[in-house]
């Protein structure tokens, strides 16, 4: 049965044609692989890789012009190996060993295997030589300036000065070309209305003294790109005020009348920051060292990302002599607080002389020595030991809540076991 089918198949003319072709291909492949296993092939469009520049860089030279070529390399080897090769399998470099001074050189091209262990042979390179022009090299550093065009902030917002990173780059190349460079710019074309900050990465451009782009030469800018950020912020008014420290118990600080050189300043910040503005306390005045005639100056500290639009950096605070007065009293009412139960504390000082009382003029006039009480807080002494100690005191003016004692005072106390 099988013989009859095969016999019928071989009597079919179409089958015989295809069978003959297949048998011929198999026979040809067998001959090629056994009789002629090697082949020669051209690898085309291999890019030129520049050689190590140290040889001509040591002479102060740089390549200012070169032929743009795509190299073809002829290779030989086993068919299976050669057939798998492509342009990345071969590295072609110019031989610059003969370069000794500025000028035009016809240099040979050298080809080598990208993988040194690959089993094939490089037979020829086409073209064999190329032309390279060398000239004196120069490197200079330039600040990067941002050039923003077509940017419109949305209503109620303000575009702040662009921030560029890096702020400085190195421009290198032929001396004559580098000397033409007057500036390096990061150019950003927006042409849009923005309601949020802009961030772009752009290719840097070298400019001559007339502001024209320098193109077509051999200049190199490193790094070649820069990140440009244009903050889009919301405007607002920041209210300013001051505070007080060492405020006596019961003292009414609202009685202190003072004038600020700036009660508010215009700022710009993120919308969330502006929408949640609170009065900024620019500094504190210590009432124990208060001086009516002194003008207090405080720096305005703003959080990161907030712009001081008018660049107002300080606030001065003054107090009117018409509102304030002072007098000296001798305090004899000295009281001890927080004395430990296992110790006796005796105040040896009979009175505290020349205590300065400050406040509104009419209130100060009514303060008597008996209405000023000195408080000796034993907690300020720390560890209690027997002996005599100078202990700081605080004061309370019992006659009103609009005057206070300025200055630092102390009394002598005797501490002994109970």
């Amino acid at each position: 049965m099988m013989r009859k089918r095969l016999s019928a198949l071989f009597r079919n003319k179409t089958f015989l044609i295809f069978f003959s072709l297949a048998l011929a291909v198999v026979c040809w492949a067998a001959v090629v692989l056994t009789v002629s296993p090697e082949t020669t092939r051209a690898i085309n469009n291999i890019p030129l890789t520049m050689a190590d520049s140290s040889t001509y860089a040591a002479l102060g030279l740089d390549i200012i012009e070169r032929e743009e070529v795509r190299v073809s390399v002829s290779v030989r080897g086993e068919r299976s190996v050669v057939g798998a090769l492509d342009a990345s399998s071969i590295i072609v470099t110019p031989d610059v060993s003969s370069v000794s001074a500025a000028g035009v050189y016809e240099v040979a091209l050298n080809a080598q295997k990208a993988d040194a262990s690959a089993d094939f042979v490089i037979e020829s390179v086409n073209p064999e030589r190329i032309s390279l022009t060398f000239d004196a090299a120069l490197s200079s550093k330039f600040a990067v300036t941002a050039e923003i065009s077509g940017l419109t902030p949305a209503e109620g917002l303000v575009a702040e000065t662009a921030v560029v990173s890096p702020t400085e780059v190195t421009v290198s190349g032929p001396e004559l070309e580098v000397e033409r460079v007057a500036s390096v710019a990061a150019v950003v074309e927006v042409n849009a209305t923005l309601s949020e900050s802009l961030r772009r990465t752009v290719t840097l451009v070298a400019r001559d003294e007339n502001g024209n782009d320098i193109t077509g030469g051999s200049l190199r800018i490193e790094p070649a790109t820069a990140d440009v950020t244009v903050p889009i912020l919301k405007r607002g008014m920041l209210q300013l005020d001051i505070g007080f420290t060492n405020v006596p118990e019961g003292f009414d600080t609202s009685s202190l009348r003072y004038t600020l050189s700036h009660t508010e300043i215009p700022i710009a910040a993120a919308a969330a920051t502006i929408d949640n503005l609170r009065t900024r306390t620019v500094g504190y005045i210590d009432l124990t060292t208060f001086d009516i005639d002194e003008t207090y100056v405080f720096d305005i500290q703003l959080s990161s990302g907030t712009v001081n639009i008018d660049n107002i950096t300080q606030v001065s605070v003054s107090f009117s002599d018409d509102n304030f007065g002072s007098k000296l009293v001798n305090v004899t009412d000295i009281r001890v607080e927080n004395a430990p139960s296992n110790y006796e504390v005796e105040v040896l000082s009979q009175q505290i002389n020349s205590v300065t009382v400050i406040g509104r003029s009419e209130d100060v006039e009514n303060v008597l020595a008996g209405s000023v009480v000195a408080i000796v807080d034993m907690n300020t002494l720390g560890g209690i030991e027997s002996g005599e100690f100078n202990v700081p005191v605080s004061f309370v003016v019992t006659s009103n809540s609009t005057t206070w004692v300025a200055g630092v005072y102390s009394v002598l106390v005797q501490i002994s076991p109970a």
Side-chain angles (χ1 to χ4, degrees), residues 237-240 267 272-281:
M237 297 299 294
L238 177 63
Q239 305 300 315
L240 307 177
I267 63 171
T273 300
I274 297 298
D275 293 341
N276 293 281
L277 280 181
R278 300 289 184 270
T279 299
R280 176 66 54 85
T281 300

Side-chain angles (χ1 to χ4, degrees), residues 1-16:
M1 189 68 174
M2 182 61 70
R3 288 181 179 179
K4 289 182 179 181
R5 289 182 178 178
L6 288 175
S7 177
L9 194 59
F10 276 98
R11 287 195 299 271
N12 187 302
K13 184 180 294 186
T14 302
F15 170 77
L16 286 176

